Amino acid sequence: MSLNALKPVKVGLLGIGTVGGGTFTVLQRNQEEIRRRAGRGIEIAMVADLNTERAKEVVGNAAQVVADARAVIANPEIDVVVELIGGYGIAKALVLEAIAAGKHVVTANKALLAVHGTEIFAAAREKGVIVAFEAAVAGGIPIIKALREGLTANRVQWVAGIINGTTNFILSEMRDKGLDFDVVLKEAQRLGYAEADPTFDIEGVDAAHKATLLSAIAFGIPVQFDKAHVEGITQLSATDIKYAEQLGYRIKLLGIARRRDNGIELRTHPTLVPMSRLIANVEGAMNAVLVQGDAVGTTLYYGKGAGSEPTASAVVADLVDIARLIDAAPEARVPYLAFQPDSMSALPVLPLEQVQTSFYLRLRVADKAGVLANITGLLAEQGISIDAVIQREADQVSEGGQTDLIILTHETTEGGMNKAIAAMQALPTVLAPIVKLRKEELA
Amino acid sequence: MSLNALKPVKVGLLGIGTVGGGTFTVLQRNQEEIRRRAGRGIEIAMVADLNTERAKEVVGNAAQVVADARAVIANPEIDVVVELIGGYGIAKALVLEAIAAGKHVVTANKALLAVHGTEIFAAAREKGVIVAFEAAVAGGIPIIKALREGLTANRVQWVAGIINGTTNFILSEMRDKGLDFDVVLKEAQRLGYAEADPTFDIEGVDAAHKATLLSAIAFGIPVQFDKAHVEGITQLSATDIKYAEQLGYRIKLLGIARRRDNGIELRTHPTLVPMSRLIANVEGAMNAVLVQGDAVGTTLYYGKGAGSEPTASAVVADLVDIARLIDAAPEARVPYLAFQPDSMSALPVLPLEQVQTSFYLRLRVADKAGVLANITGLLAEQGISIDAVIQREADQVSEGGQTDLIILTHETTEGGMNKAIAAMQALPTVLAPIVKLRKEELA
């Protein structure tokens, strides 16, 4: 096969902000290297952005710039539409229109796919086009490819990832500097690690979107963001980060998908992780995903989870895959969600009450005889066994006969734990709302 | 596409030892899961092993067992031949015969491909068959896929990996327990982490084979094991591991391939790595590979680098890839060495003298005035600048007016360093052979 025998793949870009700009730059700078790999050129022929001035500054004369995304979709020369607008609104309409027009689609839009993936993949299958989304999870880390292709021999048991850089940056800072959430958030916003409206990041929604995609390709279930448990880091206190550290744990916001006999756990929440695990040492805005397969054991994938060129790296990798497969039969392609569409799993996403984890509890209690016996008795009533108990005279509670009681439990259900907490909370010796965090060994 | 519309892919296994047995087991246990992903079945139809008794014990009635590998290759029903014999001898002949017979080939044989890859890939290209080798590097970690497909957008700058579990286990033990190489090697052999003849592992040959493959797919150069610098861990002393630790470094056997303006560095040697890097914390028999790309930045891939099922995980992933592409045109395939065969790079592998690294030096010197001035003067003569110097009264040298001088240098060439060492060694105040280790920041 000669290098220039194959026509270049023509790409239309919808949105040329951070990731779009990076995609354009990387394709330009490395075009020769990419062509040598792909066996054909990949050219951005058209760019749509409402801000046509900015778009023209980025692309110069290299591509046609339009304000109307539909002009890109309508262009019969365009083979692939890259959607980098984000959100559920216009992005959804445009992706569906691109599919209807017979274009292959590459998108970095986790929100769109986690919520509307079933509709989008069905439409794409109908039209025989590819929808690729490596950039939607963990930026430049090829985790979608690893799960969909690299680990196909495995029955995946669980996936757990630091898949939101903003929150990992905030947690790293909180731990390093002993500061509270609000203070660090402001700093993160100043440094550009958090957006002006950081809600999606700090409330765990962005990580949960990505965890939803990971759950689908790990277990062959449809995307079901509506069933995901979503919990962010806004309630996390520096105190618990400090206590966790003293017990040998780091607190990370993890997106977790775990197979159980009766269903799939799909949850995003702050999690205590043993300090000795590599993933516990992933600091700042970096991302990392652990995958546990029955044959391969535990594997980890680490890198930049966001940013212009790291995300562009994933977009361009998808374009190269499409360039290779564009003339091949659909059978040659990897299924959208790793499993053939007619072979998806019916395993349900489990309700939170049935989720099993071990727990970290912090109780502010009166410093009296019998308090611990009462509390451990209530845990025992729910069949919850205790791994460790420590008592701490924290600075701010050392006066007035109060103390902090930290309890680590063995694995139990969320439902059982909630009952035990309700009972403990009712004790007169428990003086403040009980703090509950989940703990994962990830072994 | 209906699940059973496509004929299963028929596989012939050459060799059913550790990895072959794992491959059989994983394909049996997860056949339903694999079929749901691949869109067709993957069946081991024939197994060749000189030990037919053992082979029959493993496969039962599920596959035909023969002693003669050529009977597998001659069977027109077989689509893919999996070579798990190892070594350069009979394995090479059988792989070439399988290719000549029009079979696709999957192999875990890094030695064969690192040494004879050019001939094998040329033959495969001629016959239009796939040669897949995910299992040849880092066991179950999908690093070949990450480099060949996941990072196609990038101009790769360097790759550095812990790609030999035996030596990483030995180094971890030496550090943990402060023991010398020989003692730990015996323990590793007893535990099954090192083979009875551990030469290929401890002398760095196995890691260098894998680094050779990584260099080819990272930079698009042909496999050139004959140009690789190969250095093992047999000369490493517990003293240097301890000093490195005191300076904030761990010593790891790394396979490194780095792009320079005038060529590619390809080298395997013990390396000081800053303790704060994730890869410095990869312990025991685990593997990890760092890849630095110009768009994605630094990414890391971690997991089990050897063993029955982890390696089988990679073999089966290759089989699934082949199952998808078996009916597609060659253009749909990923090139053997990541770059199209007619677009390989002519960048030479640099001779060791031109390799650039920073260094750790340990000199046993007479404890006299002027010694340090003489030594630093000789380094300066070669244009080598010093990063840090520490003096240590190590236990065993604290008597008789001797001391250990540890010098960390900035980056320089190996050739320049060798000249400086020759000059320092000639000083009457330098009392023992100078220890030289390379250091990499991996940032």
Side-chain angles (χ1 to χ4, degrees):
Chain A
M1 165 174 44
S2 161
L3 238 196
N4 298 302
L6 300 170
K7 276 198 315 180
V9 171
K10 301 268 187 186
V11 177
L13 223 57
L14 310 187
I16 190 151
T18 307
V19 178
T23 301
F24 184 83
T25 305
V26 169
L27 274 173
Q28 288 278 100
R29 187 178 66 226
N30 292 346
Q31 57 179 311
E32 198 44 41
E33 185 111 358
I34 292 165
R35 190 210 308 266
R36 288 172 50 217
R37 293 177 186 267
R40 68 201 313 165
I42 296 172
E43 292 172 8
I44 295 182
M46 247 181 133
V47 172
D49 199 296
L50 291 177
N51 189 339
T52 52
E53 287 305 305
R54 184 186 63 180
K56 280 178 186 161
E57 271 172 35
V58 177
V59 307
N61 295 320
Q64 188 189 348
V65 171
V66 293
D68 180 11
R70 293 193 165 93
V72 174
I73 294 170
N75 183 341
E77 299 241 298
I78 297 293
D79 302 301
V80 190
V81 169
V82 178
E83 183 275 305
L84 299 170
I85 297 165
Y88 317 100
I90 183 70
K92 183 186 175 195
L94 292 172
V95 162
L96 288 171
E97 286 174 37
I99 290 168
K103 311 297 188 192
H104 301 293
V105 171
V106 174
T107 177
N109 193 334
K110 43 269 187 185
L112 176 62
L113 293 180
V115 176
H116 300 290
T118 302
E119 180 184 352
I120 288 166
F121 295 129
R125 186 187 182 196
E126 181 87 6
K127 290 294 291 187
V129 298
I130 296 168
V131 175
F133 54 95
E134 182 64 79
V137 182
I141 309 171
I143 182 62
I144 302 290
K145 186 169 280 283
L147 262 171
R148 292 203 319 175
E149 304 177 44
L151 303 174
T152 43
N154 292 268
R155 195 171 153 86
V156 174
Q157 290 152 334
W158 51 263
V159 180
I162 297 173
I163 44 184
N164 180 274
T166 301
T167 45
N168 201 55
F169 174 83
I170 292 173
L171 293 176
S172 296
E173 290 286 296
M174 286 174 72
R175 181 177 72 82
D176 265 11
K177 304 185 176 158
L179 295 172
D180 271 317
F181 173 78
D182 294 333
V183 181
V184 176
L185 173 61
K186 284 206 182 67
E187 176 75 358
Q189 286 174 313
R190 203 181 56 79
L191 293 169
Y193 285 111
E195 294 181 47
D197 178 0
T199 314
F200 261 39
D201 292 317
I202 62 179
E203 297 291 3
V205 179
D206 176 73
H209 284 146
K210 294 165 181 167
T212 300
L213 294 176
L214 291 175
S215 73
I217 62 175
F219 306 118
I221 59 173
V223 288
Q224 295 165 75
F225 177 69
D226 56 330
K227 305 237 174 72
H229 172 69
V230 186
E231 196 179 318
I233 62 167
T234 55
Q235 303 304 313
L236 204 62
S237 82
T239 306
D240 293 305
I241 292 176
K242 190 185 67 186
Y243 284 152
E245 194 84 6
Q246 291 172 3
L247 290 159
Y249 293 87
R250 298 259 160 88
I251 299 180
K252 295 292 184 187
L253 181 70
L254 294 186
I256 298 171
R258 186 187 288 269
R259 184 200 298 271
R260 300 281 183 189
D261 290 341
N262 56 339
I264 303 292
E265 298 178 355
L266 173 55
R267 48 194 170 93
T268 296
H269 51 70
T271 315
L272 277 79
V273 179
M275 229 179 257
S276 57
R277 302 277 178 272
L278 283 189
I279 199 168
N281 295 285
V282 170
E283 301 290 357
M286 301 302 284
N287 280 22
V289 180
L290 277 167
V291 181
Q292 169 84 10
D294 67 344
V296 76
T298 305
T299 55
L300 178 131
Y301 309 83
Y302 164 88
K304 284 184 183 149
S308 174
E309 291 206 2
T311 311
S313 173
V315 169
V316 173
D318 279 347
L319 290 172
V320 172
D321 280 354
I322 291 173
R324 288 202 177 102
L325 293 167
I326 203 161
D327 298 323
E331 287 74 15
R333 300 174 190 162
V334 182
Y336 305 110
L337 293 177
F339 292 76
Q340 301 293 334
D342 54 7
S343 301
M344 300 292 278
S345 163
L347 270 182
V349 173
L350 295 168
L352 184 62
E353 293 67 42
Q354 293 180 34
V355 163
Q356 296 168 63
T357 61
S358 44
F359 287 90
Y360 160 106
L361 302 176
R362 173 163 60 89
L363 302 88
R364 184 163 304 173
V365 295
D367 199 2
K368 289 185 191 166
V371 171
L372 186 57
N374 283 343
I375 286 167
T376 53
L378 292 172
L379 287 165
E381 267 178 34
Q382 294 297 329
I384 299 168
S385 66
I386 291 171
D387 183 27
V389 180
I390 62 167
Q391 203 165 314
R392 277 285 183 279
E393 304 287 343
D395 297 346
Q396 67 275 34
V397 295
S398 57
E399 294 147 41
Q402 299 184 5
T403 188
D404 273 356
L405 207 60
I406 318 297
I407 301 175
L408 299 183
T409 76
H410 288 295
E411 203 164 275
T412 183
T413 63
E414 183 92 16
M417 178 51 78
N418 287 345
K419 281 184 199 157
I421 286 177
M424 294 187 289
Q425 196 71 72
L427 292 173
T429 46
V430 173
L431 306 173
I434 296 170
V435 172
K436 172 187 83 176
L437 292 167
R438 298 174 195 88
K439 178 167 91 66
E440 294 279 351
E441 289 300 316
L442 302 178
Chain B
M1 165 173 47
S2 163
L3 238 194
N4 299 304
L6 300 170
K7 276 198 315 181
V9 170
K10 301 268 188 186
V11 177
L13 223 56
L14 310 187
I16 190 152
T18 307
V19 178
T23 302
F24 183 83
T25 306
V26 169
L27 274 172
Q28 288 277 104
R29 186 177 69 226
N30 292 345
Q31 58 179 309
E32 198 44 40
E33 184 111 358
I34 292 164
R35 191 210 307 269
R36 287 172 53 219
R37 293 176 186 267
R40 68 200 314 165
I42 296 173
E43 292 172 8
I44 294 182
M46 247 182 133
V47 173
D49 199 296
L50 291 177
N51 189 339
T52 52
E53 286 305 305
R54 184 186 62 179
K56 279 178 186 158
E57 272 171 36
V58 177
V59 307
N61 296 319
Q64 188 189 346
V65 172
V66 294
D68 180 11
R70 293 194 164 91
V72 174
I73 293 169
N75 184 339
E77 299 242 299
I78 296 293
D79 303 301
V80 189
V81 168
V82 178
E83 183 275 306
L84 299 170
I85 297 165
Y88 317 100
I90 183 69
K92 183 187 174 194
L94 292 173
V95 163
L96 287 171
E97 286 174 36
I99 290 168
K103 311 297 189 193
H104 301 293
V105 171
V106 174
T107 178
N109 193 332
K110 44 267 186 187
L112 176 61
L113 293 181
V115 176
H116 299 290
T118 301
E119 180 183 353
I120 289 166
F121 295 128
R125 187 186 181 197
E126 182 87 6
K127 291 294 291 187
V129 298
I130 297 169
V131 174
F133 54 95
E134 182 64 78
V137 181
I141 309 171
I143 182 63
I144 302 290
K145 187 170 278 285
L147 263 172
R148 291 204 317 175
E149 303 176 43
L151 302 175
T152 43
N154 291 267
R155 194 171 155 89
V156 175
Q157 291 153 333
W158 51 265
V159 179
I162 297 173
I163 44 183
N164 179 275
T166 302
T167 45
N168 201 55
F169 174 83
I170 292 173
L171 293 177
S172 296
E173 290 287 296
M174 286 175 73
R175 181 178 72 83
D176 265 10
K177 304 184 176 160
L179 295 172
D180 271 317
F181 174 78
D182 295 334
V183 181
V184 176
L185 173 61
K186 285 206 181 65
E187 176 75 357
Q189 286 174 314
R190 203 181 56 79
L191 293 170
Y193 285 111
E195 294 181 47
D197 177 359
T199 314
F200 260 39
D201 292 318
I202 63 178
E203 297 291 3
V205 179
D206 176 72
H209 284 146
K210 294 165 181 168
T212 299
L213 294 176
L214 292 176
S215 73
I217 62 174
F219 306 119
I221 59 172
V223 288
Q224 296 164 74
F225 176 69
D226 56 330
K227 305 237 174 70
H229 172 68
V230 186
E231 195 179 319
I233 61 167
T234 55
Q235 302 305 311
L236 204 61
S237 82
T239 307
D240 294 304
I241 292 176
K242 190 185 68 186
Y243 284 151
E245 194 84 3
Q246 291 172 3
L247 290 159
Y249 292 86
R250 298 259 160 86
I251 299 179
K252 294 292 184 187
L253 182 69
L254 295 186
I256 299 171
R258 185 187 288 269
R259 185 201 297 269
R260 300 281 182 190
D261 290 342
N262 55 338
I264 303 293
E265 297 178 356
L266 173 55
R267 47 196 171 91
T268 296
H269 52 70
T271 314
L272 277 77
V273 179
M275 231 180 251
S276 57
R277 303 276 178 272
L278 283 189
I279 198 168
N281 296 284
V282 169
E283 301 289 355
M286 301 302 284
N287 280 22
V289 180
L290 277 167
V291 181
Q292 169 83 11
D294 66 345
V296 76
T298 306
T299 55
L300 178 133
Y301 309 84
Y302 164 90
K304 285 183 182 149
S308 173
E309 291 206 2
T311 311
S313 173
V315 169
V316 173
D318 279 346
L319 289 172
V320 172
D321 280 354
I322 291 173
R324 288 203 177 102
L325 292 167
I326 202 162
D327 298 323
E331 288 74 15
R333 300 174 190 163
V334 182
Y336 305 110
L337 293 177
F339 292 75
Q340 301 293 335
D342 55 7
S343 302
M344 301 290 277
S345 163
L347 269 181
V349 174
L350 295 169
L352 184 60
E353 294 67 41
Q354 292 179 33
V355 163
Q356 297 167 63
T357 62
S358 45
F359 286 90
Y360 160 105
L361 303 176
R362 173 164 60 89
L363 300 91
R364 184 162 304 174
V365 295
D367 198 0
K368 287 187 193 167
V371 170
L372 186 59
N374 283 342
I375 286 166
T376 53
L378 291 171
L379 287 165
E381 267 178 33
Q382 293 298 330
I384 299 167
S385 65
I386 292 171
D387 183 25
V389 180
I390 62 166
Q391 202 165 316
R392 278 284 183 279
E393 304 287 341
D395 298 346
Q396 66 272 39
V397 295
S398 57
E399 296 148 41
Q402 298 184 5
T403 187
D404 272 357
L405 206 59
I406 317 297
I407 301 176
L408 299 184
T409 76
H410 288 296
E411 203 164 276
T412 183
T413 63
E414 184 92 15
M417 178 51 78
N418 287 345
K419 281 185 199 155
I421 287 177
M424 293 187 290
Q425 197 72 70
L427 292 173
T429 45
V430 173
L431 307 172
I434 296 170
V435 173
K436 172 187 83 176
L437 292 167
R438 297 174 196 86
K439 179 166 91 65
E440 294 278 351
E441 290 300 315
L442 303 179

